Amino acid sequence: GAGVSQSPSNKVTEKGKDVELRCDPISGHTALYWYRQSLGQGLEFLIYFQGNSAPDKSGLPSDRFSAERTGGSVSTLTIQRTQQEDSAVYLCASSLTRFHFADTQYFGPGTRLTVL
Amino acid sequence: KQEVTQIPAALSVPEGENLVLNCSFTDSAIYNLQWFRQDPGKGLTSLLLIQSSQREQTSGRLNASLDKSSGRSTLYIAASQPGDSATYLCAVLLDSSGAGSYQLTFGKGTKLSVIP
């Protein structure tokens, strides 16, 4: 069975452009998580989905960030009007349980975003 | 705000040695604590998850303990091998609002090098 996949693996964009990052979780996993890892901040938790619902969006860094999940599967993290401080590796993870965070998370390889 | 500290930041040991990695957190009202491993340029691998009601978890040569009252966890690696070389991250889960609004906070990690 395939693991968590993310696309693109690398994205270079110009400041001010919008970007979409995609995550395909393991089939059947109900919970999905987004994280950001940058040199200055370490690893930050951004948002999680239980099914298609994100109960708490307060971890998103700014209102330029949004995320959605459709069909209980694929999720997209969108960053509008990118800034240089958005440069980081964006990691996605999924877990089987409907009791989020109580089960093992399986991580994708990440998307490295560079904003010039 | 939950703060997670990992000491040491880096550790180099000869192969075969037993070692301990430390994690401390400021808010003891955690839901669970996880230890992850991250290899260079890759995502995270979940190693051990300890629920708040548990004292320790074991998997192979790894043993993680949790002392909620003192805000500490340790990851014990027995008979270290070169393949254990990686960055080890500790993360604590807190229900920040008490209403199912979970926040996962990571430490900055301990970079372990096991010398053959």
Side-chain angles (χ1 to χ4, degrees):
Chain A
V4 177
S5 61
Q6 292 185 246
S7 60
S9 56
N10 279 284
K11 176 71 176 179
V12 180
T13 190
E14 294 179 350
K15 179 181 173 181
K17 295 286 181 71
D18 297 352
V19 295
E20 283 190 353
L21 311 180
R22 177 187 170 109
C23 173
D24 284 86
I26 293 173
S27 178
H29 280 196
T30 59
L32 185 146
Y33 315 81
W34 283 99
Y35 300 87
R36 177 170 75 172
Q37 188 169 34
S38 56
L39 282 176
Q41 298 295 326
L43 192 64
E44 296 174 80
F45 163 68
L46 300 179
I47 191 170
Y48 74 89
F49 287 88
Q50 189 57 48
N52 293 330
S53 173
D56 183 359
K57 299 181 180 180
S58 64
L60 294 174
S62 76
D63 58 8
R64 296 184 295 102
F65 287 70
S66 62
E68 65 174 14
R69 189 180 184 194
T70 55
S73 181
V74 173
S75 176
T76 302
L77 178 68
T78 301
I79 309 173
Q80 295 179 310
R81 306 180 302 282
T82 51
Q83 302 294 313
Q84 289 182 330
E85 63 262 28
D86 299 334
S87 296
V89 175
Y90 290 81
L91 294 168
C92 173
S94 68
S95 66
L96 180 62
T97 184
R98 65 186 185 91
F99 301 110
H100 36 72
F101 292 111
D103 204 352
T104 300
Q105 295 180 47
Y106 296 85
F107 282 78
T111 293
R112 181 175 296 276
L113 174 66
T114 303
V115 182
L116 301 177
Chain B
K1 179 184 174 184
Q2 177 76 274
E3 292 183 4
V4 180
T5 303
Q6 290 188 247
I7 296 173
L11 180 64
S12 183
V13 300
E15 181 177 3
E17 193 163 296
N18 302 327
L19 59 101
V20 174
L21 307 180
N22 297 292
C23 172
S24 62
F25 45 93
T26 53
D27 189 334
S28 62
I30 65 170
Y31 190 77
N32 65 38
L33 181 146
Q34 297 187 63
W35 284 93
F36 295 87
R37 167 186 174 138
Q38 186 171 32
D39 294 280
K42 298 186 178 180
L44 275 67
T45 301
S46 179
L47 298 174
L48 291 165
L49 184 153
I50 311 177
Q51 301 291 354
S52 62
S53 58
Q54 298 174 321
R55 298 280 298 185
E56 66 177 347
Q57 284 284 334
T58 298
S59 176
R61 294 182 293 107
L62 306 179
N63 175 275
S65 67
L66 174 63
D67 184 343
K68 263 182 49 176
S69 60
S70 66
R72 294 179 182 177
S73 176
T74 60
L75 178 67
Y76 175 82
I77 302 177
S80 58
Q81 302 172 357
D84 295 332
S85 298
T87 296
Y88 290 81
L89 295 161
C90 162
V92 297
L93 182 68
L94 189 68
D95 182 355
S96 57
S97 68
S101 176
Y102 295 98
Q103 289 292 325
L104 189 63
T105 305
F106 286 81
K108 293 196 184 310
T110 294
K111 185 175 182 179
L112 173 65
S113 299
V114 180
I115 312 302

